[in-house]
Amino acid sequence: MIFITGASGGVGSLVLEYAVAQNLSVRAGSRDPTKSAVKSKVKAVEWMKFDYNDPSSFAACLHGVDKMFLYNGPNADKIVSEAKHAGVKLIVFMSTSLVTSETASNIGAAHAAVEKVIQESGIDFVFLRGCEYMKNEMRLIPMVKAGHVFTIYPKSRGLYVHERDVAEVGIAALTRSDLIGTAPILTGWRYRTEEIVELISQRIGKKIPVTEISEEIAVEGMKKHGVSEEIYREIFEMKRRWVTEEVLRKSDDVEKILGRPPRTFADWLDEKISFFQ
């Protein structure tokens, strides 16, 4: 039995989809399992209440489970402890490539701490160290629909990965013994924000201008969405550096594991362009 945390999320829902397609025995976790079950594209799956902020929800979810797909969140140490108690044999952890960054990163440090807890537990593991997800650019939807994109550092060149590639690697990690004990770096391709907007413009047949805004203006938007100062300052620093530097190392791990090149942003738009129209 595989337990998938965050099974209604952007990557977790795809892991669930692929697992069911492969006839794997799965259980899905969500803070609101009834709502998630209704919204899910995958039917005939056992959904259970799993809330990172409620450790009392962990034991029932992990009963009879031998493998777990784990997102980071509060009480990760308690989740790992409960997993060990339940006899879980493998944890596939959604980490981040920022744990390998040469510069200090609060996001990277938080994930590295969970990696350490999992390693010290003695449970077999695979750490999926992803870069920036293409789905993060869904943030552009309201601006594209309004006809103008405002953003900090439009020439910032991020290293993106398609969430379907991450999910497929996740399934490989859950089913292939040769990946146990590894920490693949999951990257796709580098794109500047202005290049992404141009790709969207071409698809919708309408030129969308891009205007650079200051960090001070961007802060107001971040605060409205509940982003902490610690996080948005780190995001600003990364975006600033990505204008001139390639901070994160591009990896060929996706291609090695899946046997094909990573999906492109054009592939991502094949699925998502209707949201921008």
Side-chain angles (χ1 to χ4, degrees):
M1 170 73 74
I2 299 170
F3 178 57
I4 302 172
T5 70
S8 59
V11 175
S13 62
L14 295 174
V15 173
L16 178 62
E17 176 187 321
Y18 292 144
V20 170
Q22 293 189 24
N23 295 315
L24 302 176
S25 176
V26 294
R27 177 182 296 157
S30 169
R31 282 180 296 181
D32 189 340
T34 302
K35 181 179 178 180
S36 296
V38 171
K39 291 177 63 177
S40 177
K41 296 178 181 178
V42 180
K43 305 305 177 184
V45 169
E46 179 187 16
W47 285 86
M48 295 187 67
K49 180 177 175 59
F50 181 84
D51 187 343
Y52 286 97
N53 293 304
D54 180 12
S56 68
S57 69
F58 300 165
C61 291
L62 292 170
H63 178 70
V65 167
D66 55 357
K67 298 177 182 180
M68 175 168 59
F69 185 85
L70 178 65
Y71 273 87
N72 194 15
N75 295 307
D77 56 334
K78 293 185 175 66
I79 298 171
V80 175
S81 176
E82 189 62 48
K84 186 173 180 64
H85 178 73
V88 172
K89 300 294 191 295
L90 173 68
I91 295 176
V92 176
F93 175 53
M94 279 275 294
S95 190
T96 170
S97 58
L98 290 174
V99 301
T100 66
S101 175
E102 295 179 358
T103 57
S105 164
N106 292 308
I107 298 171
H111 286 78
V114 178
E115 288 188 3
K116 185 171 185 290
V117 168
I118 294 171
Q119 288 176 310
E120 291 179 346
S121 74
I123 300 173
D124 283 342
F125 65 85
V126 181
F127 299 146
L128 306 183
R129 293 175 172 169
C131 56
E132 187 161 3
Y133 298 129
M134 292 180 184
K135 69 182 180 67
N136 292 347
E137 296 311 308
M138 297 289 276
R139 69 184 179 88
L140 297 173
I141 290 174
M143 291 185 284
V144 169
K145 286 187 170 182
H148 203 132
V149 168
F150 297 90
T151 184
I152 57 169
Y153 307 111
K155 295 188 180 298
S156 176
R157 194 162 181 249
L159 185 55
Y160 290 85
V161 65
H162 196 304
E163 51 270 24
R164 283 195 177 275
D165 285 344
V166 177
E168 285 191 40
V169 172
I171 289 294
L174 288 164
T175 57
R176 284 171 43 180
S177 60
D178 61 309
L179 295 177
I180 291 175
T182 65
I185 305 293
L186 308 183
T187 69
W189 310 96
R190 296 189 192 275
Y191 297 92
R192 299 188 191 279
T193 303
E194 59 187 13
E195 292 173 337
I196 292 171
V197 176
E198 178 58 28
L199 286 171
I200 296 170
S201 294
Q202 292 171 6
R203 290 297 185 92
I204 65 175
K206 177 184 176 182
K207 179 66 176 178
I208 304 297
V210 178
T211 297
E212 183 170 3
I213 60 174
S214 67
E215 292 184 6
E216 289 71 26
I217 293 175
V219 162
E220 297 307 313
M222 293 282 196
K223 287 180 177 178
K224 286 179 182 178
H225 287 87
V227 181
S228 69
E229 181 175 0
E230 178 181 71
I231 298 299
Y232 69 66
R233 291 299 176 196
E234 183 168 330
I235 291 172
F236 291 167
E237 173 62 21
M238 286 191 294
K239 294 285 188 181
R240 192 183 306 122
R241 293 186 63 195
W242 289 350
V243 173
T244 57
E245 301 178 50
E246 294 187 351
V247 178
L248 298 175
R249 176 178 62 87
K250 191 176 184 303
S251 164
D252 60 358
D253 287 347
V254 168
E255 185 164 5
K256 285 180 178 178
I257 294 169
L258 300 182
R260 57 161 178 77
R263 291 176 171 89
T264 65
F265 218 98
D267 294 325
W268 185 83
L269 284 175
D270 286 342
E271 294 184 39
K272 305 296 184 183
I273 195 60
S274 63
F275 290 99
F276 293 88
Q277 293 172 322

